[in-house]
Amino acid sequence: MLNHPSRSTRLLVSLLLLVLLWNWAVCSPGEGRSIWQRPKPSPITKDQSFLQDTFPPGFLWGSGTSAFQTEGAWSQDGKGVSIWDHFTHSSVSDYFPRETADVASDSYNCWEEDMEALGYLGVRSYSFSLSWPRLFPEGNATGEPNAAAVDHYSRLIERLLEKEIEPIVTLYHWDLPQVFQDQYGGWKNNTLVEHFEQYAAFCFHTFGSHVKYWLTMHNPYLVAVQGYGTGVHAPGEKGGISSSLTVAHNLIKAHAKAWQTYNTHFRPGQRGKVSIVLGSHWVEPHSGQSTDANVALCQQSMEAVLGWFAEPIFGYGDYPDSLKMKHAALMPMFTPEEKLWVQKTADFFALSFGPNNIRLGQSLLHNGQSITPDLRRLLGWIKLEYGNLRMLVAEGGWFSDASVGREDTVAIYLMKSFINQVLQAIKFDGVQVFGYSAWSLVDGFEWNYGYSVRRGLFYIDFNQPNRTRVTKTTAQYYKQIVSDNGFPADETSVDVKGHFPCKFHWGIADSTLEVRFHPFSPQFSDPHIYSWNLTGDGSLRPLPGVKLNTRPPQCTDYLAIHSHLRLFASTGASHYRFALNWSLILPEGGRSNVNTEALRYYRCVLTELKKLNLEAMVILYHPSHRVPNLGLPGPLHASGGWLNYATVEAFQEYAALCYQELNTWVQYWITINEPNRLIDVYSNITERHQAAHNLLLAHAKAWRLHEREYSAEQRSLVSLALHADWANPANPFLESHIVATERFLLFELGRFLDPLLGMRDEKKKGKGKYPYEMRAYLEERARVSGLPKSPLPYFTNTERQELGGALSFIALNHFTTRLISPNPHSQDNLQKKPAPDHDCVTLPDPTWPSSSLGQALVPWGLRKLLKWVNQKYGRALPIIVTASGIDDQASVEDNLRQYYLRSYLQEALKAYHLDGVNLQGFYVWKLQDRHAPQFGLFTSTQHQSKAKASVTLYREIIMHSGSSNSSTTQPCRFTEQQEKCLTCEWMFKNKPMLVFGGCLLITSAMLAALIVFIVISKKNQRHDRGRTKRRENRRRRNKASAYCLCPDVRY
């Protein structure tokens, strides 16, 4: 009796079929061009920013080398001559550095050292190539092999397996036996297809029982184009595109023959996998504009390199149509039989992504296209174009200049970027990458670049005969990645729940506030009476001889103040930071000429803020490169500015005037904004130190003046604000980078904070002094340079007493984080510009998302900065972040700024709750854009302000005292004004609708009133007519009665 499948079984089969059909639909081949038509993910979204996650279990981490580049021993143990041996020995090409690989890395003799290097890395695979001319000096694999070569490779494979490292063996990495070049013209001749098949069969037979992964050849594109087209590579032929097409054709057939041989004769017993390594670049359309024409050009660019070889092998056995159309009669043709045995001749997709292909890709650019090192997008294109294949990144990495040595810092970040892109492709795009080979294991001979560039994880000094392998910092970094199996998330990446204190400053920071001298409303300030259209021209003319009494302008007349503060209040912020204009208040620098109108304007701003129950943080001096004289009064700038001590005294006089006139309304004062950026304008190192010295003294005098005469009265606080970006060692594996970073922070922050606060460390404690390490460094630098003394001035005892403790709170302007490395002091750098005082340079991290102006978003840097300041100077003083923000080109939906606010405030919350930082405020930079959208929370176009989306987010964060989660409870009670502003913001955002609704309501009310009036009027009219008629009838009746009562008279 037949057993029919149950209903559940049929349902399961149906579901599996649906899944397979869906998978086929999503991953159906030939859809590569669609990748450019998809919106590119934002750098702040989860699937585009740096991914903290691990690779799948069993991921095949590895490294690799090629025989010719590293083996050396070019004539040892019976090795034959390769085309690269011949090319390097005889080349007179302009491209070639006239160096040979006769010894190279000497890996033929130092292979055991290579095994130790692999053990250090902890990798699970090693990709290396067999040398065809070493195994068969005469090329022909039907003859006797070189026994020494067979023994060498057998020992190598056995040792790898002993160390549990999977060998990935490449049959051909460009070192063709020279005899084939001499006899047949190399790969131009179809005869080599058969020779390669025989060579492959020998290797499969000899080593295949211990090898599970085979690669027939490495990057045939470069062989065809640079070896036979341009002549840059061996054999150095310049046959142009015709030769390249023929060579490529033969290489593809040779690969297919080798695969078919393995598939037929060796796969059943050895059960290995065979593929070919294809190299590629990646291209993006002009300005990211994915028009049909731009996408077609990008697709053609990819087909001209990767598709040239991938389409016949992974596609349908033939070349892409774009290539056949472009090269027409020059393009070799596959016969129908060849198409059948060429297609699908790879068990996985092996990819080479490195500098060689990316350099060549530049020649294929059209119409503003750009080459980008985006490995994730390339992997996604391969999946869409050729199906969801298993993939191996067989060559991934970049190069460093030979002078870099083992300190290859830039290469660390390129490795980090490439590997994380692979992780994103796996996790977010579903690409089946099963391994990554960091290229290369050791420094070697880099083809037409010789030894001028390096790609190894281990450094080799090619001038030393022993060829010792020295660990580079990239090796240390790669070892860490392999050990962690990627980039696991740490505890710092987990969000905390909590709130800031209820008296926290939720602020907005601006620069110098623009003063408008003339009131906008002349209602009470103009004494004239006007007549209109007296002469028929429609103009207003004052009546002669008639004048009224007027009052002086009042704060309410300044409509600009009212609208500006209303804009600020709508954000829900409690504190507004702005700067006074020193050169406007005291144009001559002293109090002989005081601009009382400017002071009155500032006073109006402050009083109106107080009416709104909002607080002000006022900056006395906000220097800027964009304004004349750096914001100083002209005479002071002309007399030397901050290099002249007279400016210190003038600043004290200016501060006294501001305190006297405005202190009643100001709770927080900033004497000088970012003095550490101001001193950068001085090119001379001595001038920079003198300017910083005088700026510190100016601040201290202003602080002491306030302490003596005003602090008791209003209890206001005074500080100075420092530009405080965090600094991280560019290379965490180098002590020199760690020391440079500490020095950078001392010069940036310690230079100003140490004299005012001293240090927490009891051994180095002492206020009124520059950091000890800073002075020692400058003295040593002066000694080495042959200078008589350090350029860093000393404070007198009186100045030290004045400086000590002259800070009421620590004010920091924080925007980003920088990678720091010591200045390399190369001749090129010395010629460009003088070295900075700290003698450090900054580097970018390509994995950090950044804004259009290049500002990196590094939220954790804020927490590290706050923690550093807290540990160094203690918790006694509160810390306030007095400016923080990012540019965003979006006019309304400023997603970048929203991400910035969420993430930076979350890190600030961690600093407050987890690190015990006495953080008391956070000010967003800034309120409004002047022209194009940048840092502002509001856009300003045609004198109209419009709130960006970040305003709503900031309000929500303020409402929940630091949490952007609207579901959390509201811990702090709002002031009456802040409660009102909830409605204010809604009204401000919906102003056009409210105006329209108001007009509609008024119109409706007027129409209703008119209708009622008409109805009542008509009713009254009918009533009046009825009453009139009744009265008339009564009169008539009365008249009729009178006639009847009179008797007839008869005579």
Side-chain angles (χ1 to χ4, degrees):
M1 186 176 180
L2 293 174
N3 291 323
H4 294 284
S6 65
R7 181 178 296 179
S8 59
T9 304
R10 289 198 303 271
L11 182 61
L12 181 60
V13 171
S14 300
L15 286 172
L16 285 172
L17 285 172
L18 282 172
V19 169
L20 289 171
L21 286 170
W22 171 256
N23 207 30
W24 177 85
V26 171
C27 306
S28 57
E31 296 298 322
R33 68 180 63 236
S34 66
I35 199 166
W36 292 288
Q37 295 164 335
R38 300 174 180 179
K40 209 173 179 185
S42 165
I44 57 169
T45 56
K46 184 182 178 183
D47 65 343
Q48 187 66 14
S49 58
F50 186 80
L51 178 59
Q52 298 285 163
D53 204 344
T54 55
F55 283 80
F59 190 78
L60 204 61
W61 295 105
S63 187
T65 57
S66 78
F68 180 77
Q69 290 180 280
T70 59
E71 278 188 355
W74 82 286
S75 60
Q76 185 177 333
D77 289 344
K79 175 186 174 292
V81 178
S82 73
I83 56 173
W84 271 96
D85 290 321
H86 182 267
F87 186 60
T88 55
H89 287 182
S90 61
S91 175
V92 291
S93 168
D94 295 335
Y95 301 105
F96 209 74
R98 297 171 186 265
E99 293 172 320
T100 71
D102 292 356
V103 180
S105 318
D106 203 18
S107 286
Y108 182 76
N109 297 300
C110 300
W111 64 275
E112 291 184 295
E113 285 86 339
D114 290 345
M115 296 301 102
E116 291 176 10
L118 290 167
Y120 171 84
L121 295 174
V123 295
R124 296 182 57 243
S125 69
Y126 178 47
S127 177
F128 66 94
S129 70
L130 305 174
S131 172
W132 191 348
R134 189 179 295 282
L135 283 166
F136 294 98
E138 299 302 320
N140 194 333
T142 58
E144 280 295 314
N146 182 349
V150 172
D151 290 343
H152 168 73
Y153 292 123
S154 296
R155 285 194 303 269
L156 180 62
I157 292 170
E158 287 171 5
R159 182 66 59 86
L160 287 170
L161 294 174
E162 287 174 10
K163 297 173 77 69
E164 297 184 347
I165 298 173
E166 194 74 55
I168 301 176
V169 182
T170 303
L171 296 175
Y172 178 66
H173 198 130
W174 308 356
D175 50 349
L176 183 72
Q178 178 64 29
V179 63
F180 286 155
Q181 186 66 32
D182 295 337
Q183 289 179 6
Y184 306 116
W187 285 106
K188 290 183 297 181
N189 195 313
N190 188 55
T191 306
L192 258 67
V193 174
E194 183 180 352
H195 280 294
F196 185 77
E197 181 187 10
Q198 294 165 354
Y199 165 60
F202 168 83
C203 295
F204 295 149
H205 173 77
T206 307
F207 308 112
S209 59
H210 295 94
V211 176
K212 298 303 178 187
Y213 292 98
W214 290 98
L215 301 169
T216 56
M217 54 187 67
H218 190 95
N219 208 343
Y221 174 85
L222 293 178
V223 176
V225 173
Q226 293 200 300
Y228 292 86
T230 63
V232 174
H233 283 184
E237 294 193 3
K238 300 178 182 180
I241 189 61
S242 178
S243 290
S244 294
L245 292 170
T246 301
V247 168
H249 197 70
N250 290 330
L251 287 166
I252 292 169
K253 291 196 293 184
H255 155 77
K257 283 284 188 182
W259 187 91
Q260 295 288 1
T261 296
Y262 186 87
N263 194 53
T264 303
H265 302 290
F266 298 99
R267 190 187 301 277
Q270 297 178 1
R271 297 183 180 179
K273 296 184 183 298
V274 182
S275 188
I276 179 173
V277 180
L278 302 181
S280 186
H281 62 308
W282 179 248
V283 65
E284 291 288 351
H286 173 59
S287 301
Q289 298 173 359
S290 299
T291 63
D292 290 344
N294 283 345
V295 167
L297 287 172
C298 289
Q299 180 74 6
Q300 288 170 22
S301 179
M302 298 303 297
E303 289 175 350
V305 180
L306 185 56
W308 187 358
F309 296 86
E311 187 63 31
I313 296 169
F314 295 95
Y316 298 100
D318 202 356
Y319 296 112
D321 290 339
S322 60
L323 280 183
K324 290 193 286 186
M325 290 175 63
K326 181 179 180 180
H327 300 301
L330 292 176
M331 199 83 197
M333 301 295 290
F334 291 109
T335 66
E337 293 78 13
E338 287 174 339
K339 289 180 182 179
L340 290 174
W341 59 258
V342 164
Q343 66 175 331
K344 312 305 179 188
T345 53
D347 301 319
F348 56 91
F349 199 109
L351 177 68
S352 166
F353 190 70
N356 292 321
N357 272 89
I358 291 177
R359 287 194 192 104
L360 274 182
Q362 298 289 342
S363 62
L364 302 171
L365 297 180
H366 303 285
N367 295 11
Q369 292 173 325
S370 58
I371 297 289
T372 60
D374 197 331
L375 182 51
R376 175 186 173 182
R377 299 265 280 175
L378 174 57
L379 291 169
W381 183 86
I382 293 170
K383 177 186 174 184
L384 291 167
E385 189 71 13
Y386 302 112
N388 196 9
L389 305 168
R390 295 182 78 241
M391 295 191 205
L392 169 70
V393 179
E395 177 189 356
W398 207 248
F399 66 90
S400 299
D401 190 85
S403 61
V404 169
R406 63 171 295 272
E407 300 182 359
D408 51 347
T409 302
V410 174
I412 284 178
Y413 291 95
L414 291 168
M415 174 184 283
K416 177 184 177 184
S417 178
F418 288 159
I419 295 177
N420 200 260
Q421 286 172 11
V422 174
L423 181 61
Q424 291 176 46
I426 294 171
K427 296 290 183 177
F428 299 130
D429 307 329
V431 182
Q432 298 186 74
V433 182
F434 67 88
Y436 184 93
S437 183
W439 199 271
S440 65
L441 179 65
V442 295
D443 284 341
F445 181 82
E446 291 300 330
W447 311 113
N448 50 305
Y449 293 96
Y451 300 106
S452 63
V453 298
R454 305 296 181 88
R455 296 189 66 190
L457 297 174
F458 289 83
Y459 172 77
I460 293 177
D461 185 347
F462 293 106
N463 294 316
Q464 298 298 321
N466 56 6
R467 299 299 199 264
T468 303
R469 275 79 169 134
V470 180
T471 307
K472 291 186 184 181
T473 53
T474 43
Q476 293 175 271
Y477 183 63
Y478 190 52
K479 176 184 180 181
Q480 179 180 311
I481 292 174
V482 172
S483 175
D484 293 338
N485 197 31
F487 311 92
D490 54 24
E491 67 280 357
T492 61
S493 62
V494 180
D495 286 354
V496 298
K497 294 181 179 179
H499 307 94
F500 290 108
C502 291
K503 292 185 178 180
F504 194 80
H505 291 208
W506 293 107
I508 294 176
D510 268 339
S511 55
T512 304
L513 193 66
E514 184 181 355
V515 173
R516 303 179 186 273
F517 281 111
H518 302 290
F520 277 95
S521 174
Q523 182 177 2
F524 302 106
S525 57
D526 190 343
H528 297 97
I529 294 178
Y530 295 85
S531 64
W532 176 73
N533 205 26
L534 188 64
T535 57
D537 59 357
S539 62
L540 287 171
R541 296 182 183 275
L543 294 178
V546 181
K547 284 191 177 181
L548 302 176
N549 292 326
T550 63
R551 62 157 175 78
Q554 297 180 2
C555 292
T556 52
D557 296 334
Y558 292 105
L559 301 182
I561 293 177
H562 176 71
S563 61
H564 188 77
L565 295 186
R566 183 186 63 181
L567 204 66
F568 168 76
S570 71
T571 65
S574 57
H575 290 68
Y576 184 38
R577 195 209 80 167
F578 65 90
L580 309 178
N581 189 335
W582 183 4
S583 62
L584 182 65
I585 294 172
L586 298 178
E588 303 301 322
R591 295 182 69 166
S592 59
N593 181 9
V594 178
N595 188 333
T596 56
E597 285 292 303
L599 282 171
R600 184 171 62 81
Y601 188 89
Y602 290 129
R603 195 182 302 117
C604 285
V605 172
L606 293 168
T607 55
E608 292 301 309
L609 268 174
K610 279 294 183 183
K611 288 178 184 178
L612 295 171
N613 201 24
L614 301 171
E615 294 290 344
M617 178 182 283
V618 177
I619 301 170
L620 294 174
Y621 175 50
H622 193 289
S624 173
H625 299 185
R626 298 178 181 178
V627 297
N629 306 327
L630 300 176
L632 285 171
L636 292 179
H637 186 266
S639 63
W642 289 106
L643 301 178
N644 190 337
Y645 186 79
T647 305
V648 176
E649 296 171 328
F651 183 76
Q652 183 182 21
E653 188 178 3
Y654 164 60
L657 174 65
C658 294
Y659 294 154
Q660 175 186 323
E661 296 293 329
L662 306 174
N663 194 66
T664 303
W665 301 279
V666 179
Q667 190 66 32
Y668 298 90
W669 290 97
I670 298 290
T671 55
I672 303 165
N673 187 66
E674 299 190 355
N676 51 343
R677 287 288 68 79
L678 172 59
I679 62 174
D680 291 341
V681 303
Y682 298 96
S683 57
N684 181 284
I685 186 171
T686 303
E687 290 181 352
R688 284 200 295 272
H689 288 295
Q690 188 60 54
H693 196 76
N694 287 338
L695 284 162
L696 269 168
L697 293 175
H699 160 76
K701 286 185 177 297
W703 193 93
R704 292 296 172 191
L705 171 69
H706 187 273
E707 181 191 39
R708 287 193 306 268
E709 300 182 17
Y710 298 96
S711 62
E713 176 188 346
Q714 295 294 333
R715 296 187 179 180
S716 48
L717 304 176
V718 183
S719 183
L720 85 167
L722 298 175
H723 187 98
D725 289 337
W726 179 241
N728 233 38
N731 195 324
F733 304 102
L734 295 174
E735 183 65 23
S736 60
H737 284 234
I738 296 170
V739 171
T741 303
E742 293 170 351
R743 184 170 68 246
F744 178 88
L745 289 170
L746 283 178
F747 274 78
E748 281 287 290
L749 303 177
R751 180 209 299 259
F752 292 92
L753 291 178
D754 272 31
L756 300 170
L757 300 177
M759 293 179 65
R760 208 171 182 180
D761 188 347
E762 291 294 331
K763 295 180 181 179
K764 301 174 183 177
K765 198 169 184 179
K767 297 177 183 177
K769 295 181 180 179
Y770 290 113
Y772 168 79
E773 298 89 344
M774 177 181 174
R775 184 171 293 282
Y777 177 78
L778 289 172
E779 287 175 352
E780 176 62 19
R781 191 170 165 186
R783 186 189 65 78
V784 171
S785 302
L787 300 175
K789 63 175 184 177
S790 164
L792 189 65
Y794 284 89
F795 295 111
T796 65
N797 289 333
T798 303
E799 289 170 343
R800 287 180 59 188
Q801 291 177 2
E802 200 167 46
L803 284 162
L807 213 60
S808 308
F809 60 95
I810 299 174
L812 306 172
N813 298 343
H814 174 82
F815 294 86
T816 189
T817 294
R818 303 179 186 280
L819 296 176
I820 304 299
S821 71
N823 195 342
H825 290 293
S826 65
Q827 194 62 36
D828 291 340
N829 287 342
L830 292 174
Q831 290 174 356
K832 287 178 183 176
K833 58 180 180 180
D837 300 349
H838 44 64
D839 206 25
C840 301
V841 294
T842 60
L843 300 173
D845 184 336
T847 65
W848 289 345
S850 60
S851 68
S852 57
L853 294 180
Q855 179 183 325
L857 280 84
V858 195
W860 51 261
L862 174 58
R863 180 183 177 187
K864 286 184 176 290
L865 168 72
L866 295 171
K867 190 175 180 179
W868 183 86
V869 172
N870 192 61
Q871 290 175 342
K872 194 171 181 65
Y873 301 105
R875 295 190 75 249
L877 291 180
I879 299 174
I880 299 176
V881 178
T882 45
S884 186
I886 194 165
D887 62 289
D888 191 324
Q889 291 184 321
S891 57
V892 178
E893 294 298 326
D894 52 346
N895 295 318
L896 189 68
R897 183 174 296 104
Q898 292 180 68
Y899 171 78
Y900 183 96
L901 290 175
R902 283 194 190 94
S903 55
Y904 273 62
L905 280 165
Q906 171 60 214
E907 293 300 315
L909 199 62
K910 290 176 186 176
Y912 178 75
H913 282 286
L914 303 181
D915 305 328
V917 176
N918 187 11
L919 184 64
Q920 295 295 323
F922 185 93
Y923 289 67
V924 176
W925 174 267
K926 62 182 186 169
L927 183 61
Q928 190 171 16
D929 294 317
R930 290 190 176 182
H931 304 292
Q934 274 196 357
F935 286 88
L937 293 172
F938 291 84
T939 56
S940 180
T941 55
Q942 298 178 345
H943 306 291
Q944 294 293 319
S945 299
K946 186 174 183 179
K948 300 178 185 178
S950 54
V951 173
T952 302
L953 173 67
Y954 193 39
R955 279 202 59 83
E956 289 177 0
I957 293 173
I958 294 170
M959 285 174 60
H960 298 93
S961 297
S963 173
S964 60
N965 185 356
S966 58
S967 64
T968 59
T969 57
Q970 186 175 315
C972 300
R973 186 175 180 180
F974 280 108
T975 65
E976 183 181 350
Q977 178 60 36
Q978 287 172 314
E979 291 284 2
K980 288 178 181 177
C981 286
L982 292 169
T983 308
C984 292
E985 185 201 8
W986 183 86
M987 292 175 66
F988 191 79
K989 286 176 68 176
N990 297 280
K991 186 164 60 174
M993 288 296 294
L994 285 171
V995 172
F996 175 75
C999 292
L1000 193 63
L1001 185 64
I1002 292 168
T1003 304
S1004 301
M1006 291 178 68
L1007 283 171
L1010 182 61
I1011 291 168
V1012 171
F1013 175 75
I1014 292 170
V1015 169
I1016 292 173
S1017 296
K1018 288 185 176 181
K1019 187 176 180 182
N1020 287 339
Q1021 286 175 3
R1022 286 198 301 270
H1023 179 71
D1024 289 345
R1025 283 199 300 270
R1027 192 165 51 184
T1028 303
K1029 191 174 182 180
R1030 286 193 300 271
R1031 191 181 297 117
E1032 186 65 28
N1033 290 336
R1034 196 181 299 118
R1035 191 181 301 119
R1036 286 177 181 172
R1037 284 196 302 269
N1038 290 339
K1039 189 179 288 186
S1041 299
Y1043 288 137
C1044 293
L1045 287 173
C1046 296
D1048 293 337
V1049 179
R1050 293 181 179 181
Y1051 296 96

